[in-house]
Amino acid sequence: MFIISYIINIMPIGSEPKPNILEGIEGLKGKVLLADDEKSVRDLTALLLRRKGCTVEMVEDGQQLLDKLQAAKLGEFGLVVTDNMMPKMTGLVALAKIREDSRFDKLPVVFSSGTLDSDIKETVEAFGGIPLNKPFSPDELYEATREAISKSTS
């Protein structure tokens, strides 16, 4: 049922894809690191990002996200897209830890969650992340990535 919800949001009945669906995400340098504990969400989000020409690496929790970032070469990842509610470490804790490392203080982060209350949203924004409510459409994902990249370069 969860997958069906996302499919409906991706292509509502009677709509057509926007002409720019296969254009790249302007300003993205490096790979996308995607963290979500739900395989179906990871796979679908990765598919949407790959349709924009992104190279995507996926992990299942916040600890794996941090481990992957810390082991990466400088500039290897140009964007993080992370869920909040994950085992081992939440996305919010991972975001705080990412910002503690000066190598990642300008790394664009899109923070997705099905439960983005105002406190979480304010905290994400305070850490320089862009909040994204689940479920999201492709255009909402692409806009959030553009906004995160733009914010990190300003």
Side-chain angles (χ1 to χ4, degrees):
M1 190 59 137
F2 188 70
I3 295 172
I4 292 170
S5 172
Y6 274 88
I7 292 171
I8 290 170
N9 283 314
I10 287 176
M11 190 62 64
I13 295 172
S15 70
E16 294 185 24
K18 294 193 175 192
N20 70 349
I21 196 78
L22 294 177
E23 290 178 10
I25 296 174
E26 187 176 334
L28 178 61
K29 295 179 176 113
K31 298 182 278 189
V32 177
L33 183 52
L34 170 61
D36 200 301
D37 60 319
E38 293 190 45
K39 183 178 180 345
S40 60
V41 176
R42 270 196 322 272
D43 290 346
L44 186 56
T45 304
L47 174 70
L48 293 172
L49 292 167
R50 288 179 180 130
R51 287 176 69 188
K52 286 289 194 179
C54 300
T55 301
V56 180
E57 289 194 27
M58 298 183 285
V59 295
E60 298 177 11
D61 62 56
Q63 186 60 57
Q64 290 176 358
L65 170 69
L66 285 178
D67 293 346
K68 188 75 114 169
L69 273 178
Q70 290 169 346
K73 296 175 188 167
L74 188 61
E76 181 175 347
F77 292 103
L79 174 69
V80 168
V81 178
T82 185
D83 182 31
N84 186 31
M85 299 306 294
M86 298 182 288
K88 296 185 185 173
M89 182 184 297
T90 67
L92 200 52
V93 171
L95 177 56
K97 290 184 178 288
I98 287 169
R99 294 302 187 228
E100 288 175 2
D101 189 328
S102 63
R103 295 176 298 161
F104 308 122
D105 59 355
K106 291 284 191 174
L107 181 65
V109 176
V110 174
F111 185 91
S112 66
S113 179
T115 56
L116 272 177
D117 64 30
S118 61
D119 289 341
I120 292 176
K121 187 175 178 182
E122 287 175 17
T123 303
V124 169
E125 290 170 345
F127 281 118
I130 301 300
L132 177 63
N133 283 309
K134 285 182 178 180
F136 49 79
S137 70
D139 286 339
E140 289 168 332
L141 174 63
Y142 302 146
E143 181 56 35
T145 61
R146 286 185 200 98
E147 189 177 341
I149 292 165
S150 174
K151 187 175 185 177
S152 73
T153 58
S154 59

